[in-house]
Every structure is written in C-alpha cells, then in structure tokens.
Amino acid sequence: MIRPAAPADIPVIHALIRELAEYERASEEAKATEEQLREALFGPRPAAYAHVATDDSTGAVIGYAIWFLNFSTWRGVHGIYLEDLYVRPTARGVGHGKALLTELARICVERGYQRLEWSVLNWNTPAIDFYKALGAHPQDEWTVYRLTDEALAKASGT
C-alpha cells in the first residue's frame, strides 16, 4: 500500500534515509536529523513531501519517496523532482518501488504537472534497469552540478 507520510513516520523514514545513504556509499553525507525532516515535511511551510510504502500484511513502512515541486520555464508548469526512492532490500521485487513511482506519476497527471524527474548514480544498474523498464529516459546531455560546504560558502562571498 502507498500512502502519504504522516508525522509518526519520521523515525522510520529517517532510518530508511540512512540505509539509502549506506547503499549509495555516502553515509557520512546523510546529516539530516529527524527534527529537520519533521520541519521540512510537516512544518508550516513544507519544503518537500513524502509517500511511504507499507507491507501489506504487517503495515510496517518498508519504503519511501521524498519529492518536491520544481518548475519548467519551457513547459510553464510545475513538475515533481524525486529526491529519494528507496525500498528495503528484503521488500524489493514485489512492486513497492513501482507503486511509489506510479503514485507520483498519478499526482503529476492529476495536477497538470508535465515532468517527473530524478537522478540515479551511474553505477546503480539495478535502479537504472528498473527505471528504463518503466519507460524513463536518461537525460544524458545534462550534467548535474552541485555546490556544498566550503565551495558553497565561497560562492556566496561569505
């Protein structure tokens, strides 16, 4: 089952984020706290939204998608940027990841959004194969750039 996340889901979402960071070989970069997630998802001005996948027999949260709105100047409408999609390895292969993506695609269509986008690590071939099987196309002509930490501070002039 897929449902919007609730504040009570914050501890398990936080744990799943840590699992994803470990899988992506970047545990040291996952610094978000439960309090930050609560504010970002359920504060007075949410910065992001989340859906969770639950085990059909136990109701336990076994996966999540965190997303936020972006905007296309070329299309003139919002889209969804999928920040994270993660399903615990023990729960993979039965459709939870597909169901999470299907829900986000449904939201796009229902609200008139024209894009659902995300990034995937080049080495993550299981995810790439999964996304391609859904009909997603890589945007090979674009390269993602990022400023963080000292480089961000330097670019800001501070």
Side-chain angles (χ1 to χ4, degrees):
M1 181 176 98
I2 305 302
R3 64 171 172 77
D9 297 320
I10 292 294
V12 71
I13 291 172
H14 187 256
L16 291 167
I17 290 170
R18 306 279 311 157
E19 288 178 29
L20 174 61
E22 186 175 320
Y23 174 76
E24 291 186 348
R25 306 172 191 155
S27 296
E28 68 285 349
E29 294 180 40
K31 298 176 183 178
T33 66
E34 288 185 24
E35 294 76 26
Q36 287 173 312
L37 289 174
R38 187 176 321 282
E39 182 69 19
L41 297 174
F42 303 106
R45 293 180 52 203
Y49 307 92
H51 281 76
V52 294
T54 59
D55 181 275
D56 292 335
S57 58
T58 67
V61 173
I62 46 81
Y64 75 98
I66 292 183
W67 56 277
F68 55 89
L69 296 179
N70 59 14
F71 183 80
S72 170
T73 56
W74 291 8
R75 299 274 178 125
V77 296
H78 282 293
I80 286 178
Y81 186 84
L82 175 60
E83 178 66 21
D84 285 352
L85 175 70
Y86 181 74
V87 175
R88 286 197 160 129
T90 56
R92 292 182 187 159
V94 294
H96 298 296
K98 182 178 182 181
L100 284 163
L101 278 174
T102 297
E103 177 61 11
L104 296 185
R106 186 195 65 73
I107 291 169
C108 283
V109 170
E110 176 183 274
R111 297 181 187 177
Y113 305 160
Q114 295 186 9
R115 290 182 177 167
L116 173 55
E117 298 179 312
W118 62 91
S119 297
V120 61
L121 291 165
N122 291 333
W123 58 259
N124 193 348
T125 53
I128 292 167
D129 293 344
F130 169 69
Y131 298 140
K132 285 183 177 179
L134 292 174
H137 300 283
Q139 301 298 296
D140 295 333
E141 66 273 14
W142 294 89
T143 300
V144 175
Y145 284 83
R146 178 179 296 160
L147 288 171
T148 60
D149 304 323
E150 296 84 25
L152 181 62
K154 184 178 177 182
S156 75
T158 59

